[in-house]
């Protein structure tokens, strides 16, 4: 798997039948994340497309390597993958040690925080997730170049640009 198109097809197959919290086919989320990473090159786009495949399917890092996913892409995907028993805040701190994983997580956070998506959640869940994602941005955004963050947000969730400017 050497191209973005192959990664997109793979992600569509891997996430077939899955829906997100608001009932939208899950592939739409990973494609939105990948779109925000397009200015940074094809490997980051591939990482965006595959960022949840280890966490949400039966695929492993070893299997991804075996089917030809570039090692760097697999490394980024592993870095953003939840680990059992690791609190979310610790996961975010771990991610910030890897520039590309940080950008993937910023794009993921931006899409998850999109007002159109949040509006479709029950109020209690919306408020809880908004606080969680805002706290994650506090850590993620200080670990990344503000110009890179701006590029991602302008594509994935422009409503967060004002928050970025305030920091």
């Amino acid at each position: 798997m050497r191209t973005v198109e192959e990664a997109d097809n793979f992600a569509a197959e891997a996430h077939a039948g899955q829906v997100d919290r608001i009932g939208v086919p899950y592939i739409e989320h990973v494609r939105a994340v990948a779109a925000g990473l397009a200015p940074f090159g094809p490997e980051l786009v591939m990482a965006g497309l595959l960022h949840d495949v280890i966490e949400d399917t039966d695929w492993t890092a070893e299997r991804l390597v075996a089917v030809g996913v570039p090692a760097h892409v697999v490394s980024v995907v592993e870095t953003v993958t939840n680990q059992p028993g690791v609190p979310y805040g610790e996961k975010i701190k771990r991610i910030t040690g890897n520039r590309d994983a940080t950008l993937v997580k910023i794009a993921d956070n931006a899409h998850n925080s999109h007002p159109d998506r949040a509006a479709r959640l029950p109020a209690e869940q919306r408020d809880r997730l908004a606080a969680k994602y805002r706290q994650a941005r506090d850590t993620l955004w200080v670990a990344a170049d503000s110009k890179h963050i701006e590029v991602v947000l302008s594509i994935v969730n422009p409503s967060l640009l004002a928050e970025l400017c305030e920091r």
Side-chain angles (χ1 to χ4, degrees):
M1 182 179 324
R2 297 287 177 199
T3 69
V4 168
E5 183 180 356
E6 290 172 333
D8 183 80
N9 291 335
F10 178 86
E13 240 179 78
H15 292 294
Q18 294 179 346
V19 294
D20 65 13
R21 288 183 172 115
I22 59 172
V24 174
Y26 202 78
I27 190 64
E28 290 187 26
H29 168 66
V30 297
R31 285 178 175 154
V33 170
L37 300 166
F40 304 100
E43 284 200 344
L44 266 183
V45 173
M46 291 173 75
L49 288 165
L50 302 175
H51 80 274
D52 279 333
V53 81
I54 295 173
E55 189 172 312
D56 294 340
T57 74
D58 60 355
W59 281 87
T60 63
E62 295 77 21
R63 287 181 63 205
L64 291 174
V65 170
V67 296
V69 177
H72 178 69
V73 172
V74 174
S75 174
V76 170
V77 171
E78 283 185 296
T79 301
V80 300
T81 297
N82 284 332
Q83 297 173 349
V86 177
Y88 187 74
E90 286 182 35
K91 170 190 168 179
I92 297 300
K93 287 177 190 169
R94 176 178 45 83
I95 289 170
T96 62
N98 179 311
R99 173 212 175 249
D100 289 346
T102 301
L103 289 174
V104 170
K105 194 62 186 172
I106 287 169
D108 178 51
N109 179 292
H111 189 249
N112 285 333
S113 301
H114 199 286
D116 293 343
R117 293 174 53 79
R120 296 176 64 183
L121 294 170
E124 185 177 306
Q125 185 179 27
R126 180 178 52 243
D127 294 345
R128 181 181 55 77
L129 290 173
K132 173 184 172 180
Y133 297 144
R134 196 170 23 260
Q135 186 174 13
R137 288 192 296 274
D138 289 342
T139 303
L140 292 166
W141 286 6
V142 297
D145 182 299
S146 62
K147 296 292 182 196
H148 293 166
I149 300 168
E150 186 176 347
V151 167
V152 171
L153 297 183
S154 68
I155 297 167
V156 180
N157 185 350
S159 71
L160 290 175
L161 289 169
E163 182 181 328
L164 179 64
C165 288
E166 292 171 4
R167 293 176 185 243

